[in-house]
Amino acid sequence: MSSRGRSNYVVSLISGLGIIFCFFLFPFFVIETSLKSLSELQTQNRRQSIFTSLAQRNELISSFDDERKYYEKLLRNIFNIAQKQDNSLGYLERSIKLLKKNYPDQLEFVVWNEKGLLVEKLTDEKRYRYVLKKLYLVLKEVSQSILSESSTPIKNLESVKNNLNIIKQFLGRVFLPETLRQPYNQEGHSSLILADYGKDRPYFWYQIGKNFSMLVFINWGLIEGNQGLTKLCKAINAKWPDSFCGFAHIRDLTQIYPEPKARFANEIVAGLARFETVAEQEIELANSLMSVQLLNPKIRIFNIQKKDKRLLNTSDHRLQLLTKLGVLYFIGLAVVILNFRFRKAFFSIRWKLLLLFLYANAAPLSVLGFIAYDYLQNKKIALKNELNLEAARFLRDFDARFDQQRNHFDNSLNRVISRINKKNPGKLRESDLNQLKTELKRFNVSETYLFAKDGKKIFAHSSDGKDLSSSIKYFSTMAEGILKYMNRIILKTNKDDILSKITSPEDSEFIRNSIRDSRKIWPITIGDSVKLGYWNYLGNPEKFQNNYYLLLMWSQDEFQKIYLRNHLDDLKKGLPDSLAFAKSIRSGKYLKEPENNANQLRKFMNRVEEKKSICNGEITYKSEDYIAVGMVGNNLNGMVLCTLFPSKEIEKKIGRTRNQFFAGALLSVVLTTLIGLMVARQFMTPVKKLSEAALQINQQNFRHRIEGMDQDEFGHLGEVVNRVIEGLGELEIAKVVQESLFPEESFSQPPFSVYGKSVVMTTLGGDYFDFFKIDDENFGVIIGDVAGHGVAAALIMAMAKARVRMTEKQQRLDPAGLVSLVHSIIHSLKSRNLRRMMTFQYLVLNSKTGKVTFTNAGHCFPLLVNRKNKSARFIEHIGSPLGAGRKARYENLEFSMTEGEALVLFTDGIIEARNKHGEMMGFEGFIDIVVKNYTENPEEYYKKIFAAYIAWAGEADDDTTMIVISRN
């Protein structure tokens, strides 16, 4: 192989390797690497989504940490549903029958109607009618006290005090009055009431309703078993058949309840064992995903689901995506290759160049796209974490500002008292008292007391209408003693007198505290409850003339509610578009009740209350997704606070960032397109000029010139094209000259008629024909074909014609002699490096005798066609082409043409023509065409032959010359 060949081979090899790297290896590496990261992220999200779903199913039973809560919930649901029915007792009767069927000998019922009378057919206790009547009155008063949020202890209620001994004998020895609150506690904290350890019915539950009231006794058998928890798990399994929910005791983790499906059994035991070892709640096993939770110290609950390996297998998922992208890529690449390879391109060169630029930009854009996807996922998590921290900070600040309300109330109350003292330091008039009452209303006081210095009550008021008579009796004596003390009146000692007691040395701390805490809102203990109290003196304290003692009290719940009612919306100011909720731990009531379908919100706030720490979560409220943050107050220690922030706001932020990425990608594509178009324009402007020049050449406008080209490679090419156009112009002139060398297409010397024509495929062809009159009896016909095309062939053809025309009459009558003369001219050109040969044929026809004399110099044999017998034959006469050898010898051959015969002379362009199947026409094919299309008129005969030739070949691909000589 030559050095040039080796160089071309190396260049081709490097070019091929570059194409493989750019169009196959690099795109595959980029896509595969990016898909690996994307697949791992998507798989991780799917796995976490499954774990979250399993954990949420665990949450459905996490509040039932013992059997008592299950049965309390069951009885509560039956009671509430029955209360809403038109026939409440009918529904209750059917429910009781079903309960007794499911739990035989485990439940006993006592049912009262709306008037408090026993419903005999629904009541199992047939004894103690008097006790049951008293019990209904007690439970009714307790229910009213609880629902009104009265601060009076249950044991102090009249009906309880009067009937406690009878009730305890009936309910149980360990029954305590305060436990009657338990069925009315908020959801999640309500429970059965323990009454006795020894009876068959140790627990009971009750509710007082509008249409009926009921009391249910629960047997030990229900509480000690796990029937309720098992039923919950079965209900969850029925709702989500693709997973399995169950529980196990710590003492035997292999014993699963309810009995698990076979495909889960072994992995459940393995997952529970791992939970005991490493305390992981989210456990991935060989074939399953499992979420485990501690229900109570003895029981573990779990949810398990089979893996969908098609979704959780990163490699398979990536391979699937890679295969799909690969198919799309190769289809697109095939379209591009076809566009570049085929002559009829789909796109112009300008767009091809632009596509290459865009392709080069696609690789970094695809990498950035995958990075952006990963970034957006992490950004979403970061925004949620940031929001959780921000919301927690607002909640803590909001809780901390609660003390400001006490200071605000202190200062406001002190200003009110100071104004009244300043206006009237003596005895208060009715108008002063009315003014004081009006001023105090805006402080939402639970209990208000005003006493004169002799202990006489001026007024006392309770916001909930509670009877204050016992409190008035106590506070009036205390007020009298404190006012006397503050007015420096000496108190006489009397051991039975409260005044002596509060001034005794051992109780003097109470006086000091009274003085210290006056004019401030401060926690005080009243009986067995803690309240917030404020006291002050009306009169002229500076002169020790304190005429009145004012005492204000708030329950802690109420005081916190005042703050929340006034300031809860402040949470929304810190987090725009958020929602704020507060719930009393004591009563379970919301400051503002959530709208319907708020189950997830309620469950979340119950979880916050249970954990007593800041909790985060995602819930659906009013058909929208929210991020929830909640806490139990430190200062607002009786309240659960919660703020909801719409998830769509985070999605909007992510959307804005995503749009920025899209805008950046779009800008990159636009810039790439503009740069590609600029570069294309830089290249295509001169190419367009060259293309326009080619179009002008095609239209034979050889006066066109390319102008305004830069002095670069295109400029040099433009100069060359201008010279080519100039040369083509000259060739066009040469063509005109060459065409002038051909004779008229028709010639006649009776009885002979001649028609000839040359069809040239290039500007200048090498075919030559001529016919001319020699004398009255003879005329000559010449046909020739110079090897090749172009100027050289045209010049040789012109020289041959000139030599023929220069011969004398006698020389023209001798075909062999004339051919020899032309041969000498053609052969002499070889010594001048113009090595061309020419086939040549010269015929002399006698119009009287019909004799034809001809010499052949390597040309196609003439074809003699007979009209009568529809046949044709070649007149074979061999001779060497002109210019082939130094001493060529040529001889004449004679034959005659009779009436009705035709002689067809032709060049090899017709014989060598091929059709669309690649078949050559050949001599036999030409004879067939000539015979089938015979006609006496030589011009028509020529046209039929040429049309049949074109129909067979499709188009002429070589110079074609044909002469038809007919004898009529």
Side-chain angles (χ1 to χ4, degrees), residues 577 624-626 645-654:
D577 303 313
E624 289 190 23
D625 294 330
Y626 287 88
F645 187 82
S647 299
K648 64 182 180 182
E649 295 300 321
I650 288 182
E651 293 296 337
K652 285 181 181 178
K653 292 182 180 179
I654 295 297

Side-chain angles (χ1 to χ4, degrees), residues 454-498:
D454 57 358
K456 181 181 178 181
K457 180 197 75 171
I458 304 302
F459 63 76
H461 174 73
S462 172
S463 61
D464 58 3
K466 184 181 71 170
D467 183 12
L468 301 179
S469 56
S470 59
S471 298
I472 291 171
K473 183 177 178 182
Y474 175 79
F475 289 134
S476 64
T477 307
M478 186 182 72
E480 181 184 358
I482 291 176
L483 286 173
K484 285 182 179 180
Y485 185 87
M486 297 303 295
N487 289 336
R488 296 191 174 184
I489 297 175
I490 298 175
L491 303 177
K492 295 180 180 180
T493 303
N494 184 342
K495 292 183 179 181
D496 297 328
D497 187 8
I498 190 172

Side-chain angles (χ1 to χ4, degrees), residues 357-598:
F357 269 84
L358 291 175
Y359 177 83
N361 191 43
L365 274 183
S366 62
V367 174
L368 290 175
F370 288 116
I371 294 174
Y373 180 83
D374 196 6
Y375 170 80
L376 289 174
Q377 296 299 317
N378 293 327
K379 178 71 173 178
K380 188 174 183 178
I381 296 172
L383 286 174
K384 288 183 178 179
N385 293 336
E386 182 182 340
L387 176 66
N388 287 331
L389 293 174
E390 187 73 3
R393 183 178 68 82
F394 276 115
L395 287 175
R396 285 193 292 265
D397 290 346
F398 180 78
D399 177 64
R401 289 198 300 271
F402 172 62
D403 278 342
Q404 296 177 5
Q405 174 170 275
R406 289 201 301 184
N407 296 332
H408 173 70
F409 273 33
D410 288 344
N411 296 330
S412 298
L413 286 168
N414 290 336
R415 286 195 294 271
V416 170
I417 302 303
S418 295
R419 284 200 303 270
I420 294 175
N421 287 343
K422 186 175 181 181
K423 179 181 177 182
N424 188 0
K427 185 178 179 180
L428 295 177
R429 299 186 298 271
E430 188 67 27
S431 60
D432 297 325
L433 293 174
N434 290 336
Q435 179 186 354
L436 177 61
K437 291 177 182 180
T438 301
E439 294 277 6
L440 293 178
K441 281 183 181 179
R442 58 190 178 92
F443 295 96
N444 300 104
V445 184
S446 300
E447 298 178 25
T448 306
Y449 302 90
L450 183 66
F451 298 98
K453 58 185 178 181
D454 57 358
K456 181 181 178 181
K457 180 197 75 171
I458 304 302
F459 63 76
H461 174 73
S462 172
S463 61
D464 58 3
K466 184 181 71 170
D467 183 12
L468 301 179
S469 56
S470 59
S471 298
I472 291 171
K473 183 177 178 182
Y474 175 79
F475 289 134
S476 64
T477 307
M478 186 182 72
E480 181 184 358
I482 291 176
L483 286 173
K484 285 182 179 180
Y485 185 87
M486 297 303 295
N487 289 336
R488 296 191 174 184
I489 297 175
I490 298 175
L491 303 177
K492 295 180 180 180
T493 303
N494 184 342
K495 292 183 179 181
D496 297 328
D497 187 8
I498 190 172
L499 299 180
S500 301
K501 183 174 179 57
I502 65 177
T503 56
S504 65
E506 58 269 23
D507 291 313
S508 58
E509 182 67 21
F510 179 81
I511 298 298
R512 288 195 293 273
N513 289 344
S514 298
I515 298 172
R516 182 198 65 192
D517 295 341
S518 64
R519 301 170 60 82
K520 296 179 182 177
I521 296 177
W522 207 259
I524 59 175
T525 302
I526 305 297
D528 57 356
S529 63
V530 177
K531 298 185 178 182
L532 292 172
Y534 170 91
W535 48 82
N536 208 335
Y537 317 106
L538 284 81
N540 193 348
E542 294 178 358
K543 295 183 179 181
F544 305 102
Q545 295 176 1
N546 298 291
N547 301 319
Y548 300 94
Y549 177 80
L550 177 67
L551 174 63
L552 309 177
M553 286 193 296
W554 297 264
S555 67
Q556 286 190 320
D557 255 17
E558 183 57 36
F559 198 75
Q560 292 176 8
K561 287 179 182 176
I562 293 170
Y563 173 71
L564 291 171
R565 279 194 288 266
N566 293 331
H567 300 286
L568 186 61
D569 287 342
D570 291 349
L571 280 174
K572 301 179 183 179
K573 298 176 183 177
L575 292 171
D577 303 313
S578 64
L579 303 175
F581 296 92
K583 182 186 74 168
S584 169
I585 295 176
R586 179 173 174 273
S587 66
K589 292 185 177 181
Y590 287 79
L591 188 70
K592 180 181 179 182
E593 279 295 322
E595 296 186 17
N596 295 331
N597 300 322

Side-chain angles (χ1 to χ4, degrees), residues 55 63 191 223 234 586 769:
S63 59
S191 181
I223 307 305
K234 287 182 177 179
R586 179 173 174 273
F769 78 95

Side-chain angles (χ1 to χ4, degrees), residues 625-640:
D625 294 330
Y626 287 88
I627 295 172
V629 181
M631 64 173 282
V632 174
N634 184 23
N635 294 315
L636 293 164
N637 53 11
M639 297 290 170
V640 179

Side-chain angles (χ1 to χ4, degrees), residues 507-775:
D507 291 313
S508 58
E509 182 67 21
F510 179 81
I511 298 298
R512 288 195 293 273
N513 289 344
S514 298
I515 298 172
R516 182 198 65 192
D517 295 341
S518 64
R519 301 170 60 82
K520 296 179 182 177
I521 296 177
W522 207 259
I524 59 175
T525 302
I526 305 297
D528 57 356
S529 63
V530 177
K531 298 185 178 182
L532 292 172
Y534 170 91
W535 48 82
N536 208 335
Y537 317 106
L538 284 81
N540 193 348
E542 294 178 358
K543 295 183 179 181
F544 305 102
Q545 295 176 1
N546 298 291
N547 301 319
Y548 300 94
Y549 177 80
L550 177 67
L551 174 63
L552 309 177
M553 286 193 296
W554 297 264
S555 67
Q556 286 190 320
D557 255 17
E558 183 57 36
F559 198 75
Q560 292 176 8
K561 287 179 182 176
I562 293 170
Y563 173 71
L564 291 171
R565 279 194 288 266
N566 293 331
H567 300 286
L568 186 61
D569 287 342
D570 291 349
L571 280 174
K572 301 179 183 179
K573 298 176 183 177
L575 292 171
D577 303 313
S578 64
L579 303 175
F581 296 92
K583 182 186 74 168
S584 169
I585 295 176
R586 179 173 174 273
S587 66
K589 292 185 177 181
Y590 287 79
L591 188 70
K592 180 181 179 182
E593 279 295 322
E595 296 186 17
N596 295 331
N597 300 322
N599 294 334
Q600 292 189 25
L601 172 63
R602 297 180 188 275
K603 288 179 180 179
F604 175 75
M605 295 190 74
N606 289 341
R607 179 158 62 92
V608 173
E609 183 180 347
E610 289 173 4
K611 294 188 176 181
K612 298 191 182 300
S613 60
I614 292 180
C615 296
N616 306 318
E618 296 183 23
I619 67 171
T620 300
Y621 176 65
K622 294 197 301 186
S623 301
E624 289 190 23
D625 294 330
Y626 287 88
I627 295 172
V629 181
M631 64 173 282
V632 174
N634 184 23
N635 294 315
L636 293 164
N637 53 11
M639 297 290 170
V640 179
L641 305 176
C642 174
T643 181
L644 303 182
F645 187 82
S647 299
K648 64 182 180 182
E649 295 300 321
I650 288 182
E651 293 296 337
K652 285 181 181 178
K653 292 182 180 179
I654 295 297
R656 285 194 290 269
T657 306
R658 186 188 299 113
N659 291 338
Q660 290 173 355
F661 281 128
F662 278 128
L666 181 61
L667 180 61
S668 174
V669 172
V670 170
L671 289 177
T672 302
T673 304
L674 291 176
I675 293 173
L677 290 174
M678 290 173 62
V679 173
R681 183 178 181 182
Q682 183 70 23
F683 284 93
M684 293 307 298
T685 298
V687 171
K688 186 176 180 180
K689 291 182 178 181
L690 293 172
S691 176
E692 178 65 22
L695 182 62
Q696 294 297 324
I697 292 173
N698 186 56
Q699 296 176 354
Q700 299 183 354
N701 178 16
F702 301 114
R703 293 188 299 275
H704 179 79
R705 295 292 183 270
I706 300 175
E707 298 178 352
M709 299 284 281
D710 295 332
Q711 293 301 313
D712 53 11
E713 290 84 350
F714 284 113
H716 298 319
L717 181 60
E719 293 176 0
V720 172
V721 171
N722 283 336
R723 289 197 294 271
V724 169
I725 294 174
E726 184 178 356
L728 289 174
E730 295 175 354
L731 285 176
E732 186 66 19
I733 297 173
K735 179 181 179 182
V736 173
V737 173
Q738 183 186 40
E739 289 177 349
S740 69
L741 297 177
F742 289 125
E744 295 292 333
E745 294 177 348
S746 298
F747 175 82
S748 177
Q749 189 165 328
F752 291 100
S753 298
V754 183
Y755 183 84
K757 188 175 182 180
S758 181
V759 178
V760 182
M761 292 295 101
T762 57
T763 302
L764 295 176
D767 283 6
Y768 164 54
F769 78 95
D770 198 2
F771 26 81
F772 47 85
K773 184 176 181 180
I774 300 175
D775 53 32

Side-chain angles (χ1 to χ4, degrees), residues 20 98 104 143 150 199 257 285 323 326 581 661 685-686 711 734 802 822 878 919 941 947 949:
I20 292 173
L98 184 60
S143 173
S150 172
K199 294 184 178 180
Y257 305 92
L285 302 163
T323 302
F581 296 92
F661 281 128
T685 298
Q711 293 301 313
V822 177
I878 299 173
E919 300 170 347
Y941 194 12
Y949 154 70

